[in-house]
Amino acid sequence: MRYVALLRGINVSPATTVAMSDLRALLEGLGHTGARTHLRSGNALFVPAEKPSETERRPERVAAEIERRITAELGLSVAVMVRTAAELRAVVEENPLEVRDPVRFGVVFLPEAPDRKVLAALDPAEYAPEEMAVGRRELYVYFPDGLRRPKLPPLLEKRSNTRATMRNWNTVTKLLALAEE
């Protein structure tokens, strides 16, 4: 079974630079095996370490462990979302929106189910022509005008107090393919 770790906000500025070799070494230092990365934007795949209990292998526990190690070893505070290959397969298969352009279509990964009250309070006119649909622990978003100055992500961050990281559809499907190899 492979896990996919999605790190938020690394390698977007000199202050957040993380070498992918350092990320792989960090994962292996936690006992994970087969660590590999995809692109330089914080995507890692690995086989989780054998733990005494299934609870310790739960993706959210593994994510918290990675976050702590990044802080301790690299001095960065980075949000990490972890999904199993099966969970990532479900993200792709349960996509409720049409993927018209995979570069302008993204998945916002959340650590837990989104707060439906916060989402219901958003007026679609505030972020039109962008579109959003809710998944289990993901939001599916379409940016017809591209990702240069999207309206929806800043609105979500302003209105909710949750950590998140987004990947475009090409990256999501490539990570799934790598996770299922």
Side-chain angles (χ1 to χ4, degrees):
M1 173 181 5
R2 284 201 180 121
Y3 284 12
V4 177
L6 306 162
L7 285 69
R8 179 172 190 230
I10 66 165
N11 296 337
V12 294
S13 74
T16 63
T17 299
V18 175
M20 293 300 96
S21 59
D22 291 344
L23 178 56
R24 290 189 297 273
L26 184 140
L27 291 169
E28 290 171 359
L30 289 167
H32 306 307
T33 59
R36 63 192 280 196
T37 54
H38 175 65
L39 304 174
R40 289 190 65 245
S41 56
N43 305 302
L45 300 102
F46 57 93
V47 175
E50 289 297 323
K51 300 284 186 175
S53 73
E54 279 302 307
T55 300
E56 292 176 296
R57 289 179 56 143
R58 289 180 38 210
E60 53 276 6
R61 295 281 297 262
V62 173
E65 186 177 59
I66 295 169
E67 287 178 5
R68 283 191 297 275
R69 186 64 66 96
I70 288 172
T71 301
E73 290 187 15
L74 306 176
L76 297 172
S77 178
V78 175
V80 178
M81 309 303 145
V82 173
R83 300 293 192 268
T84 66
E87 289 171 330
L88 197 55
R89 163 66 53 203
V91 167
V92 170
E93 289 178 352
E94 295 171 8
N95 170 20
L97 295 177
E98 176 187 352
V99 180
R100 292 166 271 204
D101 180 350
V103 174
R104 295 170 188 249
F105 187 85
V107 178
V108 177
F109 292 89
L110 306 164
E112 56 196 22
D115 184 334
R116 298 213 181 241
K117 288 180 184 176
V118 169
L119 297 177
L122 291 174
D123 179 1
E126 290 183 86
Y127 57 86
E130 297 170 13
E131 299 173 34
M132 175 182 61
V134 181
R136 293 180 195 194
R137 291 183 295 155
E138 297 80 26
L139 300 174
Y140 298 86
V141 290
Y142 176 59
F143 304 98
D145 296 333
L147 289 167
R148 278 222 158 128
R149 289 199 170 97
K151 299 174 189 174
L152 189 53
L155 232 127
L156 289 169
E157 286 187 7
K158 181 178 169 184
R159 304 257 175 98
S160 69
N161 190 22
T162 191
R163 304 166 320 148
T165 188
M166 185 174 69
R167 298 297 185 273
N168 76 31
W169 193 249
N170 286 335
T171 300
V172 171
T173 56
K174 178 63 176 179
L175 287 169
L176 175 60
L178 292 171
E180 293 182 334
E181 282 183 350

